[in-house]
Amino acid sequence: MSTRVAKRRLPDMLLDQGLVTEEQLKECIALQRNTGKSLPQLLVERGYLGEEDLVITLSEQLGIPHIRVANYSIPKDVLAEVPEALARQHVMLPISNTGDVLTLAMANPLNIMALDDLRLLTSYEIEPVVAVESELVAAIERNYGGGKASDLYDELVSGSVHGGELDVVKDDEILDVSQLESGAEDEPVKRLVNLVLYNALEVGASDIHIEPFEKIVRLRYRVDGTLSESKGPPKSYQSNLIARLKILSGCRIDEHRLPQDGRFRIRYKNRDIDFRVAYLPCKYGEKVVLRILDKGSLTLDIEKLGFEPQPTEAFTTALQLPHGMILMTGPTGSGKTTTLYSALHKLNSIDSNIVTVEDPIEYELFGVNQVQVHTSIGLTFAEALRQILRQDPDIVMVGEIRDHETADVAVKAALTGHLVLSTLHTNDAAGVFPRLADMGIEPFLVQSSVGLAAAQRLLKRACVHCRESIRVPGDVLDRVQFSPLEGDPEPEFVRATGCNKCNDTGYKGRVAVIEAMPNYPDIQELVLNHASGQQIKAVATACGMRTLRQNALAKAARGITTIDQVLEHTTAD
């Protein structure tokens, strides 16, 4: 039976034993917030506590053994149970495995999160023992081999068959399905998939890209909108890896010539995480993209999305309209759907009938009837919308208006007493009006049906740990069109520098920026006369609309993002 670590705080133990003073603890706890180092590490570094005293205290107080890891020779199959990244992150080392119990040496056995992570990743019960941190670090270097063993997958699939001559397989030949299925169920393959998913969640990725090439399999994670490469799995594991993902996502493992898509759900740190998986046949195998949908990180409160005052007021006012269209625009991945879900959450009440038609359904909303598009059987956006309108809806969300047929039904729904929310691909809010006209909708119908047009972008947040204040010359502010509102505080622009908290990128997280254009009376005549988006935007700005650039610069002036991000994601007005 495994030892469950008592939930007792280390500072209390050290104070009870008289090993440190309250002043020393307070000093190191304050340093911990700024340096990111562990409390024991800081106490030892500053000479307030000896490593041996720390180990003996933990051992006696928790009732668990302490060991000298330098004396242990650890088999490779035991090392393979704990990925090197996890071992280094939490300063821990697997010592042995017996039955379903894995003995784990730890510098801090009070790290419940590390123990729970490892239980989730492996099929073992964890038996912690305590060891001197400096010895553990040296043992991790020695056993994982420093740079060489940073190949997590070599450890994970220790003992696997490598390379060798391969038989030529013709393009139209189907692999033996029984071999694929049994290979996908092998324990190393399961752990390989778990590791790929676990690492993505640990770094806060929104997407995982697995891309097969002639001699390698490339693995990339998209974090804060940017793809970065990680160490990929061995080429020999490509087929089994993809087969395992297909089993999880409910796809056919014997089909590798046609695109497929599926989804599955896992539990991670007591949260439900959905994965939407798309398979695309390429020259050297199937490319797999996993979209990570974390309900726990979904903000469903309009007020908490961080919009500036003018667009927040315009958006909330539009949601009170009895009928009409609210249209969100922006590139793929700009957060349009999240904003619409937040709007539905605000509108969701017991006296409202809300129905959506989506492709795909990204998040499940309680109290909202969600319909999945199935184009192959004729259930398109337009057809689904027609059927929905027979269901006496009050509010309808259409995932995307892609063509004349969908636009026509959506406009008619808005004109017959329904509030319609949808997305459209244009560069800015003003572009909504000429875009609908280009789709064949009569200008007088556009002018009378659109209640609000909005455009959105996601900008990277400047890392709060390493951002630096800068002074921006007045002529530069004029060129970027910075125009603060009366009563705004002095701007505090920052630049991104980079630290270990943000992986030296200078950014951590993203923030939404939006421009919201109500259907001002002054622009209605322009719409009827087929005015360009630029003309409509100029009049809307004169009516009080704040543009994307202005709202983004307001974020930069408060140090939330940088001017570099503003220039990258918005255009001059």
Side-chain angles (χ1 to χ4, degrees), residues 262-535:
R263 64 191 304 152
F264 63 92
R265 177 177 296 174
I266 67 169
R267 293 278 293 172
Y268 168 75
K269 295 183 179 178
N270 296 320
R271 301 203 312 269
D272 283 340
I273 310 291
D274 287 325
F275 287 83
R276 197 175 76 218
V277 195
Y279 304 87
L280 180 68
C282 297
K283 183 174 183 180
Y284 295 107
E286 290 168 278
K287 175 181 176 178
V288 186
V289 175
L290 297 94
R291 179 84 184 275
I292 302 173
L293 306 172
D294 182 0
K295 293 181 184 177
S297 65
L298 183 65
T299 301
L300 290 178
D301 188 336
I302 290 287
E303 283 72 25
K304 292 182 180 178
L305 289 176
F307 297 157
E308 295 300 305
Q310 184 271 324
T312 299
E313 182 183 352
F315 208 93
T316 52
T317 301
L319 292 178
Q320 297 169 15
L321 293 172
H323 55 81
M325 285 201 298
I326 297 174
L327 297 174
M328 291 293 304
T329 74
T332 302
S334 60
K336 303 186 299 294
T337 304
T338 300
T339 300
L340 289 183
Y341 275 133
S342 301
L344 290 181
H345 179 73
K346 187 176 182 69
L347 295 167
N348 193 5
S349 61
I350 198 68
D351 58 351
S352 294
N353 177 18
I354 304 177
V355 188
T356 74
V357 50
E358 305 172 60
D359 184 25
I361 297 172
E362 294 198 7
Y363 296 99
E364 296 173 11
L365 296 177
F366 178 77
V368 176
N369 303 282
Q370 296 172 274
V371 177
Q372 169 69 54
V373 166
H374 289 289
T375 307
S376 59
I377 58 173
L379 189 61
T380 61
F381 276 115
E383 182 58 30
L385 187 52
R386 287 192 190 93
Q387 300 304 321
I388 286 170
L389 294 177
R390 298 174 183 173
Q391 294 277 317
D392 186 33
D394 300 299
I395 300 159
V396 178
M397 186 184 92
V398 183
E400 183 182 350
I401 294 178
R402 298 175 179 173
D403 50 41
H404 166 76
E405 189 180 13
T406 308
D408 183 58
V409 180
V411 166
K412 288 175 180 174
L415 292 173
T416 53
H418 305 89
L419 185 61
V420 179
L421 288 75
S422 190
T423 67
L424 198 65
H425 281 293
T426 66
N427 289 326
D428 57 13
V432 163
F433 299 96
R435 175 68 179 135
L436 286 173
D438 288 343
M439 285 183 165
I441 307 300
E442 290 293 337
F444 75 91
L445 294 176
V446 175
Q447 172 261 323
S448 54
S449 62
V450 176
L452 178 85
Q456 184 165 318
R457 301 290 187 274
L458 288 179
L459 276 59
K460 294 180 183 179
R461 287 181 179 271
C463 175
V464 296
H465 300 284
C466 63
R467 64 187 181 188
E468 291 182 355
S469 296
I470 58 170
R471 181 186 171 279
V472 182
D475 61 324
V476 174
L477 293 179
D478 290 340
R479 285 203 301 273
V480 299
Q481 300 178 314
F482 177 61
S483 56
L485 294 171
E486 186 176 346
D488 281 355
E490 278 294 309
E492 297 181 4
F493 294 103
V494 299
R495 67 179 174 190
T497 56
C499 65
N500 59 355
K501 296 285 187 181
C502 59
N503 292 324
D504 292 320
T505 63
Y507 298 99
K508 187 74 173 176
R510 290 193 286 179
V511 61
V513 176
I514 190 174
E515 70 175 12
M517 179 188 293
N519 192 348
Y520 295 112
D522 291 5
I523 70 173
Q524 293 179 7
E525 189 69 26
L526 295 174
V527 175
L528 289 173
N529 292 326
H530 297 273
S532 68
Q534 193 171 5
Q535 292 172 304

Side-chain angles (χ1 to χ4, degrees), residues 153-172:
Y153 303 102
D154 282 350
E155 302 167 25
L156 194 67
V157 298
S158 178
S160 63
V161 178
H162 295 285
E165 292 297 321
L166 298 175
D167 295 330
V168 176
V169 179
K170 296 180 180 177
D171 290 342
D172 59 351

Side-chain angles (χ1 to χ4, degrees), residues 20 115 198 206 227 287 382 397 407-408 460 556 573:
V20 296
L115 292 170
Y198 175 87
S206 60
L227 278 172
K287 175 181 176 178
M397 186 184 92
D408 183 58
K460 294 180 183 179
D573 300 325

Side-chain angles (χ1 to χ4, degrees), residues 76-310:
K76 285 186 176 181
D77 62 323
V78 175
L79 282 175
E81 302 295 348
V82 179
E84 181 189 350
L86 208 58
R88 291 182 184 277
Q89 179 185 349
H90 296 302
V91 193
M92 59 190 189
L93 187 70
I95 301 299
S96 63
N97 54 357
T98 306
D100 62 350
V101 176
L102 178 68
T103 302
L104 186 73
M106 305 180 71
N108 180 15
L110 289 167
N111 189 343
I112 304 298
M113 185 178 295
L115 292 170
D116 288 344
D117 285 350
L118 203 55
R119 285 191 186 96
L120 180 71
L121 189 62
T122 70
S123 56
Y124 288 100
E125 281 297 319
I126 309 300
E127 188 83 40
V129 296
V130 64
V132 174
E133 183 167 2
S134 60
E135 293 183 4
L136 258 178
V137 171
I140 289 170
E141 286 293 330
R142 184 175 63 254
N143 283 280
Y144 284 103
K148 267 188 182 177
S150 62
D151 184 346
L152 304 179
Y153 303 102
D154 282 350
E155 302 167 25
L156 194 67
V157 298
S158 178
S160 63
V161 178
H162 295 285
E165 292 297 321
L166 298 175
D167 295 330
V168 176
V169 179
K170 296 180 180 177
D171 290 342
D172 59 351
E173 197 170 293
I174 298 177
L175 297 175
D176 187 331
V177 179
S178 61
Q179 288 182 4
L180 273 179
E181 192 161 4
S182 61
E185 294 296 334
D186 286 348
E187 201 60 37
V189 177
K190 289 182 178 179
R191 290 204 298 272
L192 174 61
V193 171
N194 287 349
L195 180 60
V196 170
L197 303 182
Y198 175 87
N199 284 346
L201 294 170
E202 282 292 290
V203 301
S206 60
D207 303 89
I208 306 170
H209 292 244
I210 302 170
E211 302 162 308
F213 294 97
E214 184 177 7
K215 295 181 180 178
I216 65 165
V217 178
R218 185 167 72 175
L219 174 66
R220 295 191 290 172
Y221 296 127
R222 188 182 295 280
V223 181
D224 294 337
T226 303
L227 278 172
S228 58
E229 189 167 0
S230 184
K231 185 68 178 177
K235 181 70 174 177
S236 58
Y237 268 71
Q238 175 182 317
S239 297
N240 287 338
L241 169 65
I242 293 173
R244 174 65 184 164
L245 288 170
K246 285 183 176 180
I247 290 171
L248 287 174
S249 56
C251 294
R252 288 180 54 185
I253 63 173
D254 62 335
E255 179 57 76
H256 60 277
R257 296 168 297 180
L258 294 173
Q260 298 187 74
D261 60 82
R263 64 191 304 152
F264 63 92
R265 177 177 296 174
I266 67 169
R267 293 278 293 172
Y268 168 75
K269 295 183 179 178
N270 296 320
R271 301 203 312 269
D272 283 340
I273 310 291
D274 287 325
F275 287 83
R276 197 175 76 218
V277 195
Y279 304 87
L280 180 68
C282 297
K283 183 174 183 180
Y284 295 107
E286 290 168 278
K287 175 181 176 178
V288 186
V289 175
L290 297 94
R291 179 84 184 275
I292 302 173
L293 306 172
D294 182 0
K295 293 181 184 177
S297 65
L298 183 65
T299 301
L300 290 178
D301 188 336
I302 290 287
E303 283 72 25
K304 292 182 180 178
L305 289 176
F307 297 157
E308 295 300 305
Q310 184 271 324

